[in-house]
Amino acid sequence: KRADMVEVLHACIPRESQHGMPPPKSVQLLLEVYPLAVKHLVPNLLKLYVDIEFTGSHTQFYDKFNIRHNIGEILEYLWGVHAH
């Protein structure tokens, strides 16, 4: 399910650790340099942001806010990446 992938991506975006140390660069490089990510990630995240409105889940009202929040944070991170 696409929402699960959003959770994985959200967990992988680089953040400052509690001790002020930057996170590992491996995932950061994947999101910033990998050609398929550069080409498809932002358009598909935006599509999912809209599509989530029409989900048929019985918990859709609450789920869509969590998913959109995660997508928003991913897009905010990617906004600062030159390749995107």
Side-chain angles (χ1 to χ4, degrees), residues 49 52-55 59-69:
Y49 192 93
I52 203 67
E53 183 67 32
F54 306 105
T55 181
T59 59
Q60 70 180 1
F61 181 78
Y62 299 102
D63 291 343
K64 70 180 175 183
F65 294 110
N66 291 330
I67 295 166
R68 283 182 171 169
H69 172 76

Side-chain angles (χ1 to χ4, degrees), residues 19 37 39-40 43 45 64 71:
H19 304 291
K39 183 176 181 181
H40 297 288
L45 285 171
K64 70 180 175 183
I71 290 173

Side-chain angles (χ1 to χ4, degrees), residues 38-58:
V38 170
K39 183 176 181 181
H40 297 288
L41 189 56
V42 170
N44 283 294
L45 285 171
L46 291 172
K47 181 177 180 347
L48 179 57
Y49 192 93
V50 173
D51 288 350
I52 203 67
E53 183 67 32
F54 306 105
T55 181
S57 169
H58 67 283

Side-chain angles (χ1 to χ4, degrees), residues 5-45:
M5 188 61 192
V6 169
E7 287 186 42
V8 171
L9 288 171
H10 185 260
C12 294
I13 58 173
R15 294 179 175 86
E16 288 292 321
S17 71
Q18 294 175 340
H19 304 291
M21 302 275 298
K25 295 270 187 188
S26 57
V27 174
Q28 184 177 356
L29 288 174
L30 178 67
L31 294 174
E32 294 179 6
V33 178
Y34 189 64
L36 286 175
V38 170
K39 183 176 181 181
H40 297 288
L41 189 56
V42 170
N44 283 294
L45 285 171

